[in-house]
Amino acid sequence: MKSSSIRLGVDIGGTFTDVVLEKDSASFSTKVLTTYAAPENAIIDGMHQVCVKASITPDQIDQIIHGTTLATNALIERRGAKTALITTQGFRDVIEMRTESRFEQYDLNLTLPEPLLPRQRRYTLTERVDARGDVLIPLDRAEVERLAESIADAGYQSVAVGLIHSYLNDSHERMVREVLAEKLPGVMISLSSEVSPQMREYERFNTVVANAYIKPLMKSYLGRLKGRLRDEGTRCNIFLMHSGGGIISLESAAEFPVRLVESGPAGGAVFAAHIAARYGLNKVLSFDMGGTTAKICLIKNQTPKTSRVFEVARTYRFKKGSGMPISIPVIDMVEIGAGGGSLAHVDAMRQIRVGPESAGSEPGPACYGRGGEKPAVTDADLVLGKLDPDNFAGGSIKLDAQSSATALETHLGDTLEMDATTAAFGLAEVVDENMANAARVHAVENGEDLSDYTMIAFGGAAPLHAGRLCEKLGVDRLLVPPGAGVGSAIGFLRAPFSFEANRSVYMKLSDFDAPKIRALLSDLETEATAFVRTCDAESDILSEFKVYMRYTGQGWEIPIVLSAEQAQNPDAARFQALFEADYAKLFGRTVAGLDIEITVWSVNATTPPETVAPVPTRTGASAAPAQGIRRMFDPMQADYLDTSIVLRKAMAEGSEAQGPAAITEDETTIIVPPNRRAICQPDGCIDITVKG
């Protein structure tokens, strides 16, 4: 992409749609309320606003990169298409039986989440492929044709096909698609061998069902968006951010929409990794808090941690195992229902609970004056003095503090015998502790000590709460980058074009077959590269090779990274040495006498990362000019303090704001606790550290 290009990044969130336009070295951004009925309306509105700021017209935009929570919301809210699942006879109930795991071991009345499709929408075929890919029972085409008639009579919009061991031999799934395409030309079809060609039928079936479930919705939305943008004069390519932290074409996204499920949060992690690289930070805690959710991600050596499986819509206290598993490449993060719009209530134990229900943008928190009656996190922040009611979202939304106080007293205070301030304090502490606890658990699961980490905060609500989170977690340094309020949208513009292809082929090291491995990795590299070429026909493409290995008999595997030379010249002894080194690092020792096996092979093709210029850090040289004083509640002292108000755009390089302070900008407000100070670095980052 030429340096003079004009690029637009768009992130649709649960409350706000963030739009960022980069023209040469300048950046222009805005936040508009998400329009649920037609999300593309908010995009068009935001695009025109930033084009006016940049003094350009939409037809001058060279590239648009988009991320959205629409796919996630459709799965959580069960708003997808009427979908059928076709599977192997005897496996109809796999997505309902789940696995043997219990996410709450001692709850005798445990209620498992309902599968995405009820039993009457799940159909079977008489066929069987074994674990080596050999056909045991051939598929009868006439049986598929009869089933196609039943599906036509039922009026399905989309069909998921998940047959046993199809990741090794997809001939039966392809036959099903061929027949359905012939008999039901208007029905969308998803094959598990294409969506998620990996072992473990529960995860694979769930993934292909989820893809089919949201495919009509996302295909319709992406088509409408493309049409609306063309009507506005744009003629550039439109790309989508995927869950793994890269960019894919609009056509690929429409075919595999399940890969968009974590696209917004992935952009945030890429944004934080970019900041980490500029500051040479190898241990970063990324904290992204928007209107609906908070996302926390560990970034080591300037690279976000990735995974092959994650869960959507956890139903039991955000516990692992209580959600819907999606088996695709994804940036590994913890996501909880804690955002500016998250609603609070008092439970049966007379305790304040916050989220996961959110006021969103329609009607929004009580202070928006759009019909919301329940107290949200934003209402608490307003009552505690963190927000200026006349300058929220750059003054585009006027906040009503009295409505916030009334909502807090009615729904929390009257029950708990609290005034509005105490109820707001309690709400804020609960949501901050929820996020801090999520960060602690995520760190423990990854064997990390957060006291060694630097936090990078972004998203509309994160800078309001990040200082308090650092106090709770013992994190000494906090960075709030420029454009923090629209961080995920900026992250889209920093992401490379990439696609990860993976496949399950079971192999023990005792049966190591070097020619087969070489051919397999070469095929995966070709597949991944082809997807990237649909986005970028000219740039160099780098290939990242990975295998997932375990001791024979273990239930899960660990990722092992291979160099290009090791992938082209595979050697059993080298594979074993790499596995044992990583295994010992994770678990403290290796296991003698057990064979080692490989279950999944993966190749990620990506364009080269953007060159990052290091930032020389500055110490405070002068005091930042204060624009006034506002009374703000400090949780450490449980009282209101006189707090300096500083405009972020008025902070020059090296200028310093001593806490307590509120550093304000159009998209967010940074709260500097009394025991910390903030220094403006050369790139505009606000660097917050403990005094002394």
PDB file of all heavy atoms in Angstrom, residues 205-230:
ATOM      1  N   PHE A 205     -18.388 -29.664  14.688  1.00  0.00           N
ATOM      2  CA  PHE A 205     -19.810 -29.549  14.358  1.00  0.00           C
ATOM      3  C   PHE A 205     -20.377 -28.207  14.833  1.00  0.00           C
ATOM      4  O   PHE A 205     -21.149 -27.559  14.125  1.00  0.00           O
ATOM      5  CB  PHE A 205     -20.604 -30.695  14.998  1.00  0.00           C
ATOM      6  CG  PHE A 205     -20.374 -32.044  14.361  1.00  0.00           C
ATOM      7  CD1 PHE A 205     -19.475 -32.209  13.316  1.00  0.00           C
ATOM      8  CD2 PHE A 205     -21.060 -33.155  14.805  1.00  0.00           C
ATOM      9  CE1 PHE A 205     -19.258 -33.454  12.737  1.00  0.00           C
ATOM     10  CE2 PHE A 205     -20.859 -34.406  14.232  1.00  0.00           C
ATOM     11  CZ  PHE A 205     -19.951 -34.554  13.198  1.00  0.00           C
ATOM     12  N   ASN A 206     -20.002 -27.778  16.028  1.00  0.00           N
ATOM     13  CA  ASN A 206     -20.462 -26.483  16.529  1.00  0.00           C
ATOM     14  C   ASN A 206     -20.011 -25.353  15.624  1.00  0.00           C
ATOM     15  O   ASN A 206     -20.755 -24.398  15.378  1.00  0.00           O
ATOM     16  CB  ASN A 206     -19.927 -26.242  17.944  1.00  0.00           C
ATOM     17  CG  ASN A 206     -20.970 -26.531  19.004  1.00  0.00           C
ATOM     18  OD1 ASN A 206     -22.019 -25.916  19.040  1.00  0.00           O
ATOM     19  ND2 ASN A 206     -20.688 -27.492  19.852  1.00  0.00           N
ATOM     20  N   THR A 207     -18.779 -25.450  15.142  1.00  0.00           N
ATOM     21  CA  THR A 207     -18.227 -24.381  14.310  1.00  0.00           C
ATOM     22  C   THR A 207     -18.943 -24.294  12.978  1.00  0.00           C
ATOM     23  O   THR A 207     -19.291 -23.195  12.511  1.00  0.00           O
ATOM     24  CB  THR A 207     -16.717 -24.601  14.097  1.00  0.00           C
ATOM     25  OG1 THR A 207     -16.064 -24.711  15.366  1.00  0.00           O
ATOM     26  CG2 THR A 207     -16.097 -23.449  13.327  1.00  0.00           C
ATOM     27  N   VAL A 208     -19.183 -25.433  12.339  1.00  0.00           N
ATOM     28  CA  VAL A 208     -19.865 -25.390  11.035  1.00  0.00           C
ATOM     29  C   VAL A 208     -21.329 -24.981  11.202  1.00  0.00           C
ATOM     30  O   VAL A 208     -21.889 -24.268  10.359  1.00  0.00           O
ATOM     31  CB  VAL A 208     -19.724 -26.731  10.287  1.00  0.00           C
ATOM     32  CG1 VAL A 208     -20.586 -27.835  10.908  1.00  0.00           C
ATOM     33  CG2 VAL A 208     -20.081 -26.560   8.820  1.00  0.00           C
ATOM     34  N   VAL A 209     -21.968 -25.390  12.313  1.00  0.00           N
ATOM     35  CA  VAL A 209     -23.342 -24.953  12.583  1.00  0.00           C
ATOM     36  C   VAL A 209     -23.381 -23.442  12.784  1.00  0.00           C
ATOM     37  O   VAL A 209     -24.252 -22.745  12.252  1.00  0.00           O
ATOM     38  CB  VAL A 209     -23.915 -25.693  13.809  1.00  0.00           C
ATOM     39  CG1 VAL A 209     -25.190 -25.014  14.303  1.00  0.00           C
ATOM     40  CG2 VAL A 209     -24.207 -27.148  13.472  1.00  0.00           C
ATOM     41  N   ALA A 210     -22.435 -22.919  13.565  1.00  0.00           N
ATOM     42  CA  ALA A 210     -22.385 -21.467  13.790  1.00  0.00           C
ATOM     43  C   ALA A 210     -22.173 -20.724  12.478  1.00  0.00           C
ATOM     44  O   ALA A 210     -22.786 -19.678  12.231  1.00  0.00           O
ATOM     45  CB  ALA A 210     -21.276 -21.136  14.783  1.00  0.00           C
ATOM     46  N   ASN A 211     -21.300 -21.242  11.625  1.00  0.00           N
ATOM     47  CA  ASN A 211     -21.037 -20.599  10.335  1.00  0.00           C
ATOM     48  C   ASN A 211     -22.309 -20.553   9.488  1.00  0.00           C
ATOM     49  O   ASN A 211     -22.666 -19.515   8.920  1.00  0.00           O
ATOM     50  CB  ASN A 211     -19.940 -21.352   9.594  1.00  0.00           C
ATOM     51  CG  ASN A 211     -19.405 -20.578   8.396  1.00  0.00           C
ATOM     52  OD1 ASN A 211     -18.603 -19.672   8.540  1.00  0.00           O
ATOM     53  ND2 ASN A 211     -19.862 -20.936   7.197  1.00  0.00           N
ATOM     54  N   ALA A 212     -23.006 -21.703   9.432  1.00  0.00           N
ATOM     55  CA  ALA A 212     -24.240 -21.758   8.646  1.00  0.00           C
ATOM     56  C   ALA A 212     -25.323 -20.866   9.247  1.00  0.00           C
ATOM     57  O   ALA A 212     -26.093 -20.227   8.518  1.00  0.00           O
ATOM     58  CB  ALA A 212     -24.728 -23.206   8.563  1.00  0.00           C
ATOM     59  N   TYR A 213     -25.365 -20.803  10.551  1.00  0.00           N
ATOM     60  CA  TYR A 213     -26.400 -20.056  11.277  1.00  0.00           C
ATOM     61  C   TYR A 213     -26.329 -18.563  10.990  1.00  0.00           C
ATOM     62  O   TYR A 213     -27.352 -17.881  10.867  1.00  0.00           O
ATOM     63  CB  TYR A 213     -26.238 -20.337  12.766  1.00  0.00           C
ATOM     64  CG  TYR A 213     -27.330 -19.829  13.666  1.00  0.00           C
ATOM     65  CD1 TYR A 213     -28.586 -20.425  13.689  1.00  0.00           C
ATOM     66  CD2 TYR A 213     -27.105 -18.762  14.526  1.00  0.00           C
ATOM     67  CE1 TYR A 213     -29.587 -19.964  14.537  1.00  0.00           C
ATOM     68  CE2 TYR A 213     -28.088 -18.302  15.383  1.00  0.00           C
ATOM     69  CZ  TYR A 213     -29.332 -18.907  15.383  1.00  0.00           C
ATOM     70  OH  TYR A 213     -30.309 -18.449  16.220  1.00  0.00           O
ATOM     71  N   ILE A 214     -25.109 -18.020  10.900  1.00  0.00           N
ATOM     72  CA  ILE A 214     -24.957 -16.572  10.694  1.00  0.00           C
ATOM     73  C   ILE A 214     -24.651 -16.199   9.240  1.00  0.00           C
ATOM     74  O   ILE A 214     -24.611 -15.021   8.904  1.00  0.00           O
ATOM     75  CB  ILE A 214     -23.849 -15.998  11.601  1.00  0.00           C
ATOM     76  CG1 ILE A 214     -22.494 -16.655  11.289  1.00  0.00           C
ATOM     77  CG2 ILE A 214     -24.214 -16.164  13.064  1.00  0.00           C
ATOM     78  CD1 ILE A 214     -21.333 -16.079  12.084  1.00  0.00           C
ATOM     79  N   LYS A 215     -24.471 -17.191   8.383  1.00  0.00           N
ATOM     80  CA  LYS A 215     -24.056 -16.912   7.005  1.00  0.00           C
ATOM     81  C   LYS A 215     -25.068 -16.072   6.226  1.00  0.00           C
ATOM     82  O   LYS A 215     -24.687 -15.066   5.602  1.00  0.00           O
ATOM     83  CB  LYS A 215     -23.770 -18.228   6.276  1.00  0.00           C
ATOM     84  CG  LYS A 215     -23.063 -18.064   4.936  1.00  0.00           C
ATOM     85  CD  LYS A 215     -22.644 -19.428   4.400  1.00  0.00           C
ATOM     86  CE  LYS A 215     -21.897 -19.313   3.090  1.00  0.00           C
ATOM     87  NZ  LYS A 215     -21.438 -20.637   2.617  1.00  0.00           N
ATOM     88  N   PRO A 216     -26.376 -16.408   6.238  1.00  0.00           N
ATOM     89  CA  PRO A 216     -27.323 -15.551   5.503  1.00  0.00           C
ATOM     90  C   PRO A 216     -27.344 -14.115   6.021  1.00  0.00           C
ATOM     91  O   PRO A 216     -27.386 -13.160   5.236  1.00  0.00           O
ATOM     92  CB  PRO A 216     -28.666 -16.254   5.725  1.00  0.00           C
ATOM     93  CG  PRO A 216     -28.314 -17.680   5.984  1.00  0.00           C
ATOM     94  CD  PRO A 216     -27.036 -17.611   6.766  1.00  0.00           C
ATOM     95  N   LEU A 217     -27.313 -13.953   7.356  1.00  0.00           N
ATOM     96  CA  LEU A 217     -27.319 -12.623   7.962  1.00  0.00           C
ATOM     97  C   LEU A 217     -26.101 -11.817   7.524  1.00  0.00           C
ATOM     98  O   LEU A 217     -26.215 -10.663   7.085  1.00  0.00           O
ATOM     99  CB  LEU A 217     -27.344 -12.752   9.486  1.00  0.00           C
ATOM    100  CG  LEU A 217     -27.115 -11.466  10.288  1.00  0.00           C
ATOM    101  CD1 LEU A 217     -28.341 -10.588  10.234  1.00  0.00           C
ATOM    102  CD2 LEU A 217     -26.755 -11.792  11.734  1.00  0.00           C
ATOM    103  N   MET A 218     -24.904 -12.420   7.646  1.00  0.00           N
ATOM    104  CA  MET A 218     -23.674 -11.692   7.346  1.00  0.00           C
ATOM    105  C   MET A 218     -23.515 -11.444   5.855  1.00  0.00           C
ATOM    106  O   MET A 218     -23.044 -10.388   5.434  1.00  0.00           O
ATOM    107  CB  MET A 218     -22.472 -12.463   7.895  1.00  0.00           C
ATOM    108  CG  MET A 218     -22.420 -12.548   9.406  1.00  0.00           C
ATOM    109  SD  MET A 218     -22.455 -10.919  10.195  1.00  0.00           S
ATOM    110  CE  MET A 218     -20.939 -10.198   9.560  1.00  0.00           C
ATOM    111  N   LYS A 219     -23.931 -12.429   5.040  1.00  0.00           N
ATOM    112  CA  LYS A 219     -23.820 -12.243   3.593  1.00  0.00           C
ATOM    113  C   LYS A 219     -24.729 -11.104   3.141  1.00  0.00           C
ATOM    114  O   LYS A 219     -24.349 -10.284   2.302  1.00  0.00           O
ATOM    115  CB  LYS A 219     -24.177 -13.541   2.877  1.00  0.00           C
ATOM    116  CG  LYS A 219     -23.555 -13.681   1.504  1.00  0.00           C
ATOM    117  CD  LYS A 219     -23.485 -15.134   1.063  1.00  0.00           C
ATOM    118  CE  LYS A 219     -22.584 -15.289  -0.146  1.00  0.00           C
ATOM    119  NZ  LYS A 219     -22.332 -16.696  -0.492  1.00  0.00           N
ATOM    120  N   SER A 220     -25.940 -11.055   3.714  1.00  0.00           N
ATOM    121  CA  SER A 220     -26.863  -9.975   3.381  1.00  0.00           C
ATOM    122  C   SER A 220     -26.308  -8.629   3.830  1.00  0.00           C
ATOM    123  O   SER A 220     -26.329  -7.642   3.077  1.00  0.00           O
ATOM    124  CB  SER A 220     -28.217 -10.237   4.059  1.00  0.00           C
ATOM    125  OG  SER A 220     -29.069  -9.120   3.934  1.00  0.00           O
ATOM    126  N   TYR A 221     -25.776  -8.575   5.059  1.00  0.00           N
ATOM    127  CA  TYR A 221     -25.235  -7.324   5.585  1.00  0.00           C
ATOM    128  C   TYR A 221     -24.051  -6.846   4.746  1.00  0.00           C
ATOM    129  O   TYR A 221     -23.973  -5.667   4.367  1.00  0.00           O
ATOM    130  CB  TYR A 221     -24.813  -7.495   7.039  1.00  0.00           C
ATOM    131  CG  TYR A 221     -23.871  -6.411   7.503  1.00  0.00           C
ATOM    132  CD1 TYR A 221     -24.316  -5.097   7.637  1.00  0.00           C
ATOM    133  CD2 TYR A 221     -22.533  -6.690   7.753  1.00  0.00           C
ATOM    134  CE1 TYR A 221     -23.453  -4.091   8.021  1.00  0.00           C
ATOM    135  CE2 TYR A 221     -21.667  -5.689   8.149  1.00  0.00           C
ATOM    136  CZ  TYR A 221     -22.120  -4.393   8.275  1.00  0.00           C
ATOM    137  OH  TYR A 221     -21.259  -3.400   8.649  1.00  0.00           O
ATOM    138  N   LEU A 222     -23.113  -7.755   4.446  1.00  0.00           N
ATOM    139  CA  LEU A 222     -21.929  -7.353   3.687  1.00  0.00           C
ATOM    140  C   LEU A 222     -22.306  -6.908   2.280  1.00  0.00           C
ATOM    141  O   LEU A 222     -21.703  -5.977   1.733  1.00  0.00           O
ATOM    142  CB  LEU A 222     -20.923  -8.507   3.642  1.00  0.00           C
ATOM    143  CG  LEU A 222     -20.286  -8.873   4.994  1.00  0.00           C
ATOM    144  CD1 LEU A 222     -19.426 -10.120   4.857  1.00  0.00           C
ATOM    145  CD2 LEU A 222     -19.461  -7.717   5.550  1.00  0.00           C
ATOM    146  N   GLY A 223     -23.314  -7.555   1.695  1.00  0.00           N
ATOM    147  CA  GLY A 223     -23.782  -7.127   0.381  1.00  0.00           C
ATOM    148  C   GLY A 223     -24.403  -5.742   0.424  1.00  0.00           C
ATOM    149  O   GLY A 223     -24.164  -4.901  -0.454  1.00  0.00           O
ATOM    150  N   ARG A 224     -25.235  -5.485   1.463  1.00  0.00           N
ATOM    151  CA  ARG A 224     -25.843  -4.165   1.619  1.00  0.00           C
ATOM    152  C   ARG A 224     -24.780  -3.090   1.842  1.00  0.00           C
ATOM    153  O   ARG A 224     -24.854  -1.994   1.289  1.00  0.00           O
ATOM    154  CB  ARG A 224     -26.829  -4.149   2.790  1.00  0.00           C
ATOM    155  CG  ARG A 224     -28.051  -5.013   2.612  1.00  0.00           C
ATOM    156  CD  ARG A 224     -29.152  -4.619   3.600  1.00  0.00           C
ATOM    157  NE  ARG A 224     -28.686  -4.429   4.961  1.00  0.00           N
ATOM    158  CZ  ARG A 224     -28.608  -5.377   5.874  1.00  0.00           C
ATOM    159  NH1 ARG A 224     -28.928  -6.629   5.548  1.00  0.00           N
ATOM    160  NH2 ARG A 224     -28.199  -5.111   7.108  1.00  0.00           N
ATOM    161  N   LEU A 225     -23.791  -3.429   2.683  1.00  0.00           N
ATOM    162  CA  LEU A 225     -22.726  -2.465   2.974  1.00  0.00           C
ATOM    163  C   LEU A 225     -21.957  -2.111   1.702  1.00  0.00           C
ATOM    164  O   LEU A 225     -21.704  -0.925   1.430  1.00  0.00           O
ATOM    165  CB  LEU A 225     -21.769  -3.057   4.012  1.00  0.00           C
ATOM    166  CG  LEU A 225     -20.515  -2.227   4.320  1.00  0.00           C
ATOM    167  CD1 LEU A 225     -20.894  -0.873   4.906  1.00  0.00           C
ATOM    168  CD2 LEU A 225     -19.589  -2.981   5.270  1.00  0.00           C
ATOM    169  N   LYS A 226     -21.622  -3.129   0.918  1.00  0.00           N
ATOM    170  CA  LYS A 226     -20.890  -2.876  -0.325  1.00  0.00           C
ATOM    171  C   LYS A 226     -21.712  -1.986  -1.253  1.00  0.00           C
ATOM    172  O   LYS A 226     -21.187  -1.031  -1.843  1.00  0.00           O
ATOM    173  CB  LYS A 226     -20.567  -4.205  -1.006  1.00  0.00           C
ATOM    174  CG  LYS A 226     -19.691  -4.075  -2.249  1.00  0.00           C
ATOM    175  CD  LYS A 226     -19.333  -5.448  -2.801  1.00  0.00           C
ATOM    176  CE  LYS A 226     -18.431  -5.318  -4.022  1.00  0.00           C
ATOM    177  NZ  LYS A 226     -18.063  -6.663  -4.558  1.00  0.00           N
ATOM    178  N   GLY A 227     -23.024  -2.273  -1.339  1.00  0.00           N
ATOM    179  CA  GLY A 227     -23.891  -1.469  -2.189  1.00  0.00           C
ATOM    180  C   GLY A 227     -24.011  -0.035  -1.704  1.00  0.00           C
ATOM    181  O   GLY A 227     -23.961   0.919  -2.511  1.00  0.00           O
ATOM    182  N   ARG A 228     -24.186   0.162  -0.384  1.00  0.00           N
ATOM    183  CA  ARG A 228     -24.312   1.512   0.166  1.00  0.00           C
ATOM    184  C   ARG A 228     -23.038   2.322  -0.052  1.00  0.00           C
ATOM    185  O   ARG A 228     -23.097   3.514  -0.394  1.00  0.00           O
ATOM    186  CB  ARG A 228     -24.632   1.443   1.661  1.00  0.00           C
ATOM    187  CG  ARG A 228     -26.049   1.037   1.998  1.00  0.00           C
ATOM    188  CD  ARG A 228     -27.067   2.113   1.580  1.00  0.00           C
ATOM    189  NE  ARG A 228     -26.777   3.411   2.158  1.00  0.00           N
ATOM    190  CZ  ARG A 228     -27.129   3.791   3.377  1.00  0.00           C
ATOM    191  NH1 ARG A 228     -27.803   2.947   4.162  1.00  0.00           N
ATOM    192  NH2 ARG A 228     -26.838   4.999   3.827  1.00  0.00           N
ATOM    193  N   LEU A 229     -21.889   1.672   0.142  1.00  0.00           N
ATOM    194  CA  LEU A 229     -20.623   2.382  -0.060  1.00  0.00           C
ATOM    195  C   LEU A 229     -20.445   2.767  -1.531  1.00  0.00           C
ATOM    196  O   LEU A 229     -19.944   3.856  -1.840  1.00  0.00           O
ATOM    197  CB  LEU A 229     -19.456   1.519   0.425  1.00  0.00           C
ATOM    198  CG  LEU A 229     -19.346   1.362   1.949  1.00  0.00           C
ATOM    199  CD1 LEU A 229     -18.329   0.287   2.309  1.00  0.00           C
ATOM    200  CD2 LEU A 229     -18.960   2.689   2.611  1.00  0.00           C
ATOM    201  N   ARG A 230     -20.879   1.885  -2.435  1.00  0.00           N
ATOM    202  CA  ARG A 230     -20.800   2.221  -3.863  1.00  0.00           C
ATOM    203  C   ARG A 230     -21.725   3.403  -4.171  1.00  0.00           C
ATOM    204  O   ARG A 230     -21.379   4.294  -4.958  1.00  0.00           O
ATOM    205  CB  ARG A 230     -21.193   1.006  -4.705  1.00  0.00           C
ATOM    206  CG  ARG A 230     -20.222  -0.160  -4.623  1.00  0.00           C
ATOM    207  CD  ARG A 230     -18.880   0.169  -5.267  1.00  0.00           C
ATOM    208  NE  ARG A 230     -17.954  -0.953  -5.179  1.00  0.00           N
ATOM    209  CZ  ARG A 230     -17.048  -1.124  -4.229  1.00  0.00           C
ATOM    210  NH1 ARG A 230     -16.961  -0.232  -3.242  1.00  0.00           N
ATOM    211  NH2 ARG A 230     -16.225  -2.150  -4.243  1.00  0.00           N
TER     212      ARG A 230
END
